[in-house]
Amino acid sequence: MRTDAAPIGVFDSGVGGLTVLRALRGALPSADFIYLGDTARLPYGTKSAATVARYSSQCAAALRARGIGCLVVACNTASASALNELRREYPHMPVVGVIEPGAAAAVAASRARHIAVIGTEGTIAGGAYQQAIHRLDANVRVIARACSLFVAIAEEGWTEDPIAEAVAHRYLDGMFAGPQMPDTLVLGCTHFPLLATAIAAALPPAVRIVDSAATTAAAVAALLGAGPCTRGAGSVRWLATDGAARFARIGSRFLGEPLSAADVEIVDL
Ligand code: DGL
């Protein structure tokens, strides 16, 4: 790492945020990253907003103590519950969540001005995507559904399995029915990009899929420009709160490259 470079901190409830890290590394190949997966306390998606906000604040503090210059909240549920609080806690550091970039990409993509959002129970119940979309265009119609089973299917590795497509039909058929159906679907959960093929197969052909991992990476790259957070050596430091072996095994699939348990440092928050 160059002496004037500061790493970018990325946190998630577990391995899911590695889909966001993967996109970030593609967009910012020279940046150094510290990734923290709160594997001891996942899932966040079924917990109350207050609990997720408290956990998120602890994750951010652990990363800040390790010298980060920018924070990316890779977890959709944490972005939904904690982003405003984290921005208040760190007024001098850029704090980016996945919801605003995903909402902006969806509004730009939708010709019918009718958008469907899928995520965890916490993300959908809190209404963060719905609000972010309506801040950009109050006249867009938004429908949303929690698709909790997708999280387990992605972690199990059944992404190319007929079970994934069957579950996708079960969740999505009701959202994409009738003449006034949405023309855009936001994958509002870290795990869902892994299921993009099964999800696309269950959708009517013209529906556009917005992946909030990719849109967040583009937003972070635009925000940081050529600043100190982009001028490192392309390194990643891996932190988890439990289970280095499971983190490495399942995380490799989310990251798209092998991860070694020996490289994962277990930390207490
Ligand atoms: N990372 C979470 C999200 O994007 C999904 C997994 C969980 O529920 O913790 O909402």
Side-chain angles (χ1 to χ4, degrees):
M1 184 168 90
R2 283 170 44 156
T3 48
D4 63 341
I8 299 172
V10 181
F11 83 86
D12 176 57
S13 56
V15 292
L18 295 171
T19 57
V20 179
L21 180 69
R22 179 182 187 168
L24 283 165
R25 288 175 79 195
L28 295 164
S30 302
D32 293 316
F33 293 93
I34 307 179
Y35 181 92
L36 169 61
D38 191 8
T39 40
R41 302 188 291 194
L42 68 80
Y44 281 9
T46 52
K47 298 201 166 67
S48 71
T51 295
V52 172
R54 181 161 50 87
Y55 290 174
S56 300
S57 183
Q58 291 167 349
C59 290
L63 289 167
R64 186 65 175 154
R66 288 165 175 82
I68 61 165
C70 166
L71 178 67
V72 179
V73 183
C75 178
N76 287 256
T77 311
S79 297
S81 306
L83 195 70
N84 292 338
E85 199 173 311
L86 292 173
R87 284 183 171 151
R88 274 194 298 274
E89 283 175 24
Y90 301 100
H92 304 300
M93 177 172 72
V95 178
V96 184
V98 285
I99 290 180
E100 286 159 352
V107 170
S110 178
R111 299 278 164 272
R113 299 171 93 200
H114 188 184
I115 296 169
V117 181
I118 54 175
T120 65
E121 267 176 65
T123 299
I124 300 305
Y129 269 105
Q130 296 90 316
Q131 287 153 22
I133 289 169
H134 284 145
R135 274 198 298 276
L136 295 167
D137 185 341
N139 295 318
V140 171
R141 214 175 131 201
V142 187
I143 56 169
R145 178 156 196 192
C147 298
S148 312
L149 263 184
F150 280 156
V151 172
I153 292 173
E155 293 202 2
E156 200 64 33
W158 292 348
T159 51
E160 311 294 326
D161 191 286
I163 210 164
E165 219 176 295
V167 172
H169 273 293
R170 184 68 181 259
Y171 281 133
L172 300 172
D173 285 357
M175 296 179 95
F176 291 89
Q180 307 261 294
M181 72 169 103
D183 65 349
T184 303
L185 174 69
V186 182
L187 305 184
C189 174
T190 49
H191 289 53
F192 298 178
L194 270 77
L195 292 157
T197 306
I199 289 171
L203 291 173
V207 176
R208 292 160 190 232
I209 294 181
V210 172
D211 170 353
S212 47
T215 53
T216 299
V220 172
L223 178 74
L224 296 179
C229 282
T230 65
R231 299 197 299 260
S235 71
V236 186
R237 184 172 167 195
W238 308 100
L239 309 177
T241 51
D242 191 31
R246 187 171 201 274
F247 180 92
R249 179 166 49 84
I250 299 180
S252 301
R253 260 200 329 269
F254 282 70
L255 188 66
E257 60 185 83
L259 258 174
S260 161
D263 294 332
V264 182
E265 190 184 331
I266 299 298
V267 296
D268 205 8
L269 301 183

Coordinates of all heavy atoms in Angstrom, one line a residue, residues 43-76:
P43 N -28.1 -14.5 10.0 CA -28.4 -13.5 9.0 C -28.9 -12.2 9.7 O -29.4 -12.2 10.8 CB -29.6 -14.1 8.3 CG -30.3 -15.0 9.3 CD -29.2 -15.5 10.2
Y44 N -28.7 -11.1 8.9 CA -29.3 -9.8 9.4 C -30.7 -9.7 8.9 O -31.5 -9.0 9.4 CB -28.5 -8.7 8.8 CG -27.1 -8.3 9.5 CD1 -26.6 -9.1 10.5 CD2 -26.5 -7.2 9.1 CE1 -25.4 -8.8 11.1 CE2 -25.2 -6.8 9.7 CZ -24.7 -7.6 10.7 OH -23.5 -7.3 11.3
G45 N -31.0 -10.4 7.8 CA -32.3 -10.1 7.1 C -33.5 -10.5 7.8 O -34.6 -10.0 7.5
T46 N -33.4 -11.3 8.9 CA -34.6 -11.6 9.7 C -34.6 -10.9 11.0 O -35.5 -11.1 11.9 CB -34.6 -13.1 10.0 OG1 -33.3 -13.5 10.5 CG2 -34.8 -13.9 8.7
K47 N -33.6 -10.0 11.3 CA -33.5 -9.4 12.6 C -34.2 -8.0 12.5 O -34.4 -7.4 11.5 CB -32.1 -9.2 13.0 CG -31.4 -10.6 13.2 CD -30.2 -10.6 14.0 CE -29.8 -12.1 14.4 NZ -29.4 -12.9 13.3
S48 N -34.4 -7.4 13.7 CA -35.1 -6.1 13.8 C -34.1 -5.0 13.3 O -32.9 -5.2 13.3 CB -35.5 -5.8 15.2 OG -34.4 -5.5 16.0
A49 N -34.7 -3.9 12.8 CA -33.9 -2.8 12.3 C -32.9 -2.3 13.4 O -31.8 -1.9 13.1 CB -34.8 -1.7 11.8
A50 N -33.4 -2.2 14.6 CA -32.6 -1.7 15.7 C -31.4 -2.6 15.9 O -30.2 -2.1 16.1 CB -33.4 -1.6 17.0
T51 N -31.6 -3.9 15.9 CA -30.4 -4.8 16.1 C -29.5 -4.7 14.9 O -28.2 -4.7 15.1 CB -31.0 -6.3 16.2 OG1 -31.7 -6.3 17.4 CG2 -29.9 -7.3 16.3
V52 N -30.0 -4.7 13.7 CA -29.1 -4.6 12.5 C -28.3 -3.3 12.6 O -27.1 -3.2 12.3 CB -29.9 -4.7 11.2 CG1 -29.0 -4.4 10.0 CG2 -30.5 -6.1 11.1
A53 N -28.9 -2.2 13.0 CA -28.2 -0.9 13.1 C -27.1 -1.0 14.2 O -26.0 -0.5 14.0 CB -29.2 0.2 13.5
R54 N -27.4 -1.7 15.3 CA -26.3 -1.8 16.3 C -25.2 -2.6 15.8 O -24.0 -2.3 16.0 CB -27.0 -2.4 17.6 CG -26.1 -2.6 18.8 CD -26.9 -2.8 20.1 NE -27.9 -3.8 19.9 CZ -27.7 -5.1 20.1 NH1 -26.6 -5.6 20.5 NH2 -28.7 -6.0 20.0
Y55 N -25.5 -3.8 15.2 CA -24.4 -4.6 14.6 C -23.6 -3.8 13.6 O -22.4 -3.9 13.5 CB -25.0 -5.9 14.0 CG -25.6 -6.9 14.9 CD1 -26.3 -8.0 14.4 CD2 -25.5 -6.8 16.3 CE1 -26.8 -9.0 15.2 CE2 -26.0 -7.8 17.1 CZ -26.7 -8.8 16.6 OH -27.3 -9.8 17.4
S56 N -24.3 -3.1 12.8 CA -23.6 -2.3 11.7 C -22.7 -1.3 12.2 O -21.6 -1.1 11.7 CB -24.7 -1.6 10.8 OG -25.6 -2.6 10.2
S57 N -23.1 -0.7 13.3 CA -22.3 0.4 13.9 C -21.0 -0.3 14.5 O -19.9 0.3 14.4 CB -23.1 1.0 15.0 OG -22.4 2.0 15.6
Q58 N -21.1 -1.5 15.0 CA -19.9 -2.2 15.5 C -19.0 -2.6 14.4 O -17.8 -2.5 14.5 CB -20.4 -3.4 16.4 CG -21.1 -3.0 17.7 CD -21.8 -4.1 18.3 OE1 -22.0 -5.2 17.8 NE2 -22.2 -3.9 19.6
C59 N -19.6 -3.1 13.3 CA -18.8 -3.4 12.1 C -18.0 -2.2 11.6 O -16.8 -2.3 11.3 CB -19.6 -4.0 11.0 SG -20.4 -5.6 11.3
A60 N -18.7 -1.1 11.5 CA -18.1 0.1 11.0 C -16.9 0.6 11.9 O -15.9 1.0 11.5 CB -19.1 1.2 10.9
A61 N -17.2 0.5 13.2 CA -16.1 0.9 14.2 C -14.9 0.0 14.1 O -13.8 0.5 14.1 CB -16.7 0.9 15.6
A62 N -15.1 -1.3 13.9 CA -14.0 -2.2 13.7 C -13.1 -1.9 12.5 O -11.9 -2.0 12.5 CB -14.5 -3.7 13.7
L63 N -13.8 -1.5 11.4 CA -13.1 -1.2 10.2 C -12.4 0.2 10.3 O -11.3 0.4 9.9 CB -14.1 -1.2 9.0 CG -14.6 -2.5 8.6 CD1 -15.8 -2.4 7.6 CD2 -13.4 -3.3 7.9
R64 N -13.1 1.1 10.9 CA -12.5 2.5 11.1 C -11.2 2.4 12.0 O -10.3 3.1 11.7 CB -13.6 3.4 11.8 CG -13.2 4.8 11.9 CD -13.0 5.5 10.6 NE -12.7 6.9 10.7 CZ -12.1 7.6 9.8 NH1 -11.7 7.1 8.7 NH2 -11.9 8.9 10.0
A65 N -11.3 1.5 13.0 CA -10.1 1.3 13.8 C -8.9 0.8 13.1 O -7.8 0.8 13.5 CB -10.5 0.4 15.0
R66 N -9.2 0.2 11.9 CA -8.1 -0.4 11.1 C -7.7 0.6 9.9 O -7.1 0.2 9.0 CB -8.5 -1.8 10.5 CG -8.5 -2.8 11.7 CD -9.2 -4.1 11.3 NE -9.1 -5.1 12.4 CZ -9.8 -5.2 13.5 NH1 -10.7 -4.2 13.7 NH2 -9.6 -6.1 14.4
G67 N -8.2 1.8 10.1 CA -7.6 2.9 9.2 C -8.3 3.1 7.8 O -7.7 3.7 6.9
I68 N -9.6 2.7 7.7 CA -10.2 2.8 6.4 C -10.5 4.3 6.1 O -10.7 5.1 7.0 CB -11.5 2.0 6.3 CG1 -12.5 2.5 7.3 CG2 -11.3 0.5 6.4 CD1 -14.0 2.0 7.1
G69 N -10.5 4.6 4.8 CA -10.8 6.0 4.4 C -12.2 6.2 3.7 O -12.6 7.3 3.4
C70 N -12.9 5.0 3.6 CA -14.2 5.0 2.9 C -14.9 3.8 3.4 O -14.2 2.7 3.6 CB -14.0 5.0 1.4 SG -15.5 4.6 0.5
L71 N -16.2 3.8 3.6 CA -16.9 2.6 4.1 C -18.0 2.3 3.0 O -18.8 3.1 2.7 CB -17.6 2.9 5.4 CG -18.4 1.8 6.0 CD1 -17.6 0.6 6.4 CD2 -19.2 2.3 7.2
V72 N -18.0 1.0 2.6 CA -19.1 0.5 1.8 C -19.9 -0.5 2.6 O -19.4 -1.5 3.0 CB -18.6 -0.1 0.5 CG1 -19.7 -0.7 -0.4 CG2 -17.7 0.9 -0.3
V73 N -21.2 -0.2 2.7 CA -22.1 -1.1 3.4 C -22.7 -2.0 2.3 O -23.6 -1.7 1.6 CB -23.3 -0.3 4.1 CG1 -24.2 -1.3 4.9 CG2 -22.7 0.8 5.0
A74 N -22.1 -3.2 2.2 CA -22.4 -4.1 1.2 C -23.7 -4.8 1.4 O -24.3 -5.3 0.4 CB -21.3 -5.1 1.0
C75 N -24.1 -4.9 2.6 CA -25.4 -5.7 3.0 C -26.6 -4.8 2.7 O -26.7 -3.6 3.2 CB -25.3 -6.0 4.4 SG -26.7 -6.9 5.1
N76 N -27.5 -5.3 2.0 CA -28.8 -4.5 1.7 C -29.5 -4.2 3.0 O -30.1 -3.1 3.2 CB -29.6 -5.3 0.7 CG -29.1 -5.2 -0.7 OD1 -29.6 -4.5 -1.5 ND2 -28.1 -6.0 -1.0

